[in-house]
Amino acid sequence: MERKNLSFFTRVRRYVRRKCKAACNFLHVYGADERKLLQYQNKYAGKRCFIIGNGPSLKTEDLELLQLKGEYSFACNKIYKIFEKTSWRPSFYACTDFMVFGQNASEILSLKGFPKFLGCNLPFQKQIRQEQENIILNYEVKKIEKTKFNPRATFICSGGSVVFVMITLAWMMGFRELYLIGCDHEYKFFDGKSGGETEVTDEVNQDYFTENYMRPGEVMLIGDLKRAQQGYQLAKEYIEAHGGKIYNATHGGKLEVFPRADFYHVLEKGTRKD
């Protein structure tokens, strides 16, 4: 009974906190976390960047091309699993999945050399706040019909994927030409599964860029591609309506919300503009 009461009061406290945060954001009254985030607002105005997913199409050599060209990039979750194969590192990192973070907190918190944008929903908030490079996101999972694309990123809805979060952050920072890579938008392991959690097996790694992305025994949320696609559509509509461009430069895959671009052609036609 005590545990149930604690869980209930925890939920109430978090609900009240979210509502207070939402009211403050509506009134543009920001706390320390939001002010820290907004230091990045329009810092990269007019530049281009690459949003990196963790699908099986992601190649080490592509990341090294980004490094060679000096491109800005956003990466997420267990991207660090590829670090032993390349000297490339992302410009920015994001994680909002409480299960990914909760089971890999030590590895994620030990990442250095780039700012990490971490959801307020994640465990170990005290440890997160100890590192100056960490920025806490005012993040909430909402029903897709209530999800909005917030260009200031002071309040971020899940949008069905961490890629949606990275797109939101990129736009807030001023990037106006966005390219997605490694976003295959296809889960063979989740085929036939729906909702909730599942314990992973070695089979899940076929959906990621490395064969040891997930460890047997880890638990993960079942991916919802339909919800993710709806979130992508929201992002596309907002960005295009406000003069931005967003393309899918993934090798293959099934994400067709965004117009396609050839990754190598994009890199050949120019580099980022400092």
Side-chain angles (χ1 to χ4, degrees), residues 29-263:
V29 177
Y30 300 124
D33 293 337
E34 290 84 1
R35 291 195 298 272
K36 189 175 180 181
L37 172 68
L38 288 173
Q39 291 177 2
Y40 288 90
Q41 187 172 25
N42 292 323
K43 187 175 181 178
Y44 305 93
K47 294 179 171 59
R48 77 179 189 183
C49 69
F50 289 78
I51 310 291
I52 300 170
N54 294 331
S57 67
L58 185 64
K59 301 178 181 179
T60 304
E61 50 265 38
D62 291 345
L63 299 178
E64 291 175 343
L65 279 175
L66 293 180
Q67 181 181 32
L68 180 65
K69 292 284 189 174
E71 299 286 354
Y72 294 108
S73 60
F74 289 75
C76 60
N77 293 350
K78 292 193 180 184
I79 188 63
Y80 56 85
K81 291 277 189 175
I82 209 169
F83 287 176
E84 64 181 19
K85 299 178 181 178
T86 176
S87 59
W88 167 87
R89 295 295 183 269
S91 309
F92 314 98
Y93 171 90
C95 182
T96 52
D97 187 320
F98 69 93
M99 300 199 75
V100 170
F101 188 85
Q103 296 171 106
N104 302 276
S106 60
E107 292 96 327
I108 294 172
L109 290 174
S110 68
L111 298 175
K112 306 294 182 184
F114 43 83
K116 299 192 291 289
F117 296 84
L118 305 172
C120 65
N121 60 314
L122 301 179
F124 309 113
Q125 287 290 312
K126 183 177 180 180
Q127 292 91 323
I128 290 173
R129 293 176 184 276
Q130 289 174 351
E131 179 61 52
Q132 184 62 29
E133 281 190 323
N134 296 339
I135 296 97
I136 307 296
L137 298 177
N138 190 17
Y139 171 88
E140 184 177 359
V141 177
K142 285 191 171 187
K143 293 181 178 179
I144 196 64
E145 59 268 20
K146 293 185 177 181
T147 297
K148 295 181 179 180
F149 186 86
N150 179 7
R152 290 175 65 84
T154 49
F155 187 90
I156 299 181
C157 299
S158 70
S161 71
V162 68
V163 173
F164 180 88
V165 173
M166 293 190 290
I167 292 171
T168 305
L169 290 171
W171 184 264
M172 180 273 293
M173 292 182 188
F175 293 103
R176 292 300 178 261
E177 190 174 331
L178 286 65
Y179 295 91
L180 277 58
I181 66 170
C183 296
D184 295 65
H185 199 61
E186 180 180 16
Y187 291 125
K188 296 182 177 67
F189 177 73
F190 293 139
D191 190 32
K193 299 182 176 69
S194 62
E197 306 169 3
T198 184
E199 186 171 324
V200 306
T201 66
D202 286 334
E203 295 176 1
V204 74
N205 290 317
Q206 66 185 314
D207 292 327
Y208 296 95
F209 60 79
T210 180
E211 60 185 14
N212 67 340
Y213 189 86
M214 299 291 292
R215 300 183 300 269
E218 281 191 90
V219 177
M220 65 188 302
L221 294 174
I222 295 174
D224 188 339
L225 294 178
K226 181 179 179 181
R227 179 180 172 84
Q229 182 159 318
Q230 291 171 322
Y232 292 147
Q233 187 65 39
L234 287 174
K236 177 179 183 289
E237 290 174 359
Y238 183 93
I239 289 172
E240 292 182 348
H242 292 80
K245 299 177 180 179
I246 182 167
Y247 302 94
N248 181 14
T250 297
H251 304 303
K254 294 187 176 180
L255 179 57
E256 304 299 343
V257 172
F258 308 107
R260 289 277 186 166
D262 182 89
F263 175 74

